[in-house]
Amino acid sequence: MEIIPAIDLLDSVCVRLHQGDYEKVTRFSEDPVDQALSWQKQGATRLHLVDLDGAKSGEPVNDSCVRAITSALNIPVQLGGGVRTLERAEELLAYGLEQVILGTVAIEQPQLVKQLAQRNPGRIIVGIDAKNGKVATRGWISQSEVNATDLASDFNAAGIAAIISTDIATDGTLEGPNLESLRAMANASSVPVIASGGVGCMADLLSLLALEPYGVSGVIVGRALYDGKVDLKEAIRAIGDGRLQDPPTSKPLMA
């Protein structure tokens, strides 16, 4: 299972929001490039960027920072937040990003996402952010009545690379991932699902291994890394590629 460190950008600095609330911001680093290089040095095989300004306003406030990060790193970088047009998605890909993540347009303009996936095979990810099973959009400010699992199944034949499933109620709380929600998403999706939200300790990461057979292939970790509650190198050894021990499988009791 791939562990993907997250850098959330707000006014070109690294922050984290509590449950998506822009009024509850914690700053972690004034130098996103240095932070990105640190995660790469510690063994990260991929980096997850979130443009919080873009998600909220749709304005490309952090583009220079994004370009600096992709230029400095030699691992794949993916980005979400405010990607709402074909032109914007392909502009970001031209910056050196490996993949772009589309959230709001996945529910508002699903055909656009499918068109992008056809034009850019393997480089489009759908981000589904949900609260109580319903999809939220526009930086989590707007709540829809669409079931997250229904939206996931709509893209099964679209050729997208993956779905990032974020549970808003647990995001930034360090209280553990919503395993029930993740399993439902993985069952609804025919493409890999990446977990996001709630990881607060190594036990939370280990708990996700039980969902790997259902299609949960990775996990995005943010606040727990910055708070020191999870050590990236240790986490990679525990659940990453070449991990020390696979999760135990249940065996029938002997008669």
Side-chain angles (χ1 to χ4, degrees):
M1 184 173 290
E2 191 170 30
I3 301 171
I4 309 170
I7 291 180
D8 291 4
L9 298 171
L10 189 66
D11 293 327
S12 295
V13 300
C14 299
V15 306
R16 290 297 288 170
L17 306 184
H18 181 82
Q19 294 181 316
D21 189 340
Y22 282 76
E23 299 300 318
K24 298 178 180 177
V25 179
T26 303
R27 289 184 173 225
F28 286 103
S29 172
E30 300 294 323
D31 189 340
V33 175
D34 183 67
Q35 184 61 67
L37 287 167
S38 175
W39 294 140
Q40 178 177 270
K41 185 177 180 180
Q42 292 177 54
T45 54
R46 179 176 298 272
L47 182 70
H48 178 76
L49 295 181
V50 179
D51 182 349
L52 291 172
D53 296 289
K56 186 176 183 180
S57 68
E59 296 299 320
V61 174
N62 298 296
D63 277 16
S64 61
C65 184
V66 171
R67 288 195 296 268
I69 289 171
T70 58
S71 296
L73 268 59
N74 56 27
I75 59 173
V77 181
Q78 61 192 41
L79 177 141
V83 188
R84 295 171 189 160
T85 66
L86 184 148
E87 292 77 17
R88 176 62 175 159
E90 295 189 334
E91 178 184 36
L92 286 166
L93 290 173
Y95 290 167
L97 290 165
E98 178 74 12
Q99 294 166 321
V100 294
I101 303 149
L102 293 97
T104 295
V105 295
I107 186 170
E108 294 182 354
Q109 301 179 66
Q111 285 304 125
L112 173 62
V113 178
K114 294 172 183 178
Q115 182 184 4
L116 270 166
Q118 291 173 356
R119 287 167 59 104
N120 303 277
R123 304 187 72 186
I124 303 301
I125 294 173
V126 169
I128 300 180
D129 307 332
K131 190 171 185 178
N132 299 321
K134 303 292 186 181
V135 178
T137 62
R138 300 191 175 274
W140 302 352
I141 296 171
S142 301
Q143 184 76 31
S144 77
E145 291 301 315
V146 177
N147 289 324
T149 51
D150 290 342
L151 185 61
S153 63
D154 284 346
F155 290 99
N156 279 343
I160 63 172
I163 285 175
I164 294 176
S165 177
T166 302
D167 181 65
I168 295 171
T170 60
D171 189 74
T173 67
L174 306 176
E175 295 177 357
N178 186 331
L179 299 179
E180 183 179 350
S181 172
L182 282 168
R183 180 170 175 172
M185 288 292 288
N187 283 333
S189 174
S190 63
V191 300
V193 171
I194 299 170
S196 176
V199 170
C201 62
M202 187 64 71
D204 291 336
L205 290 173
L206 291 171
S207 72
L208 290 169
L209 288 179
L211 299 180
E212 195 172 32
Y214 297 93
V216 177
S217 65
V219 53
I220 294 168
V221 186
R223 192 178 196 105
L225 290 173
Y226 293 98
D227 285 355
K229 296 181 183 297
V230 170
D231 178 87
L232 182 58
K233 290 182 179 179
E234 181 184 353
I236 292 171
R237 286 196 298 268
I239 76 167
D241 188 32
R243 59 184 177 243
L244 297 176
Q245 181 178 334
D246 280 331
T249 56
S250 58
K251 296 180 179 179
L253 295 174
M254 297 296 290

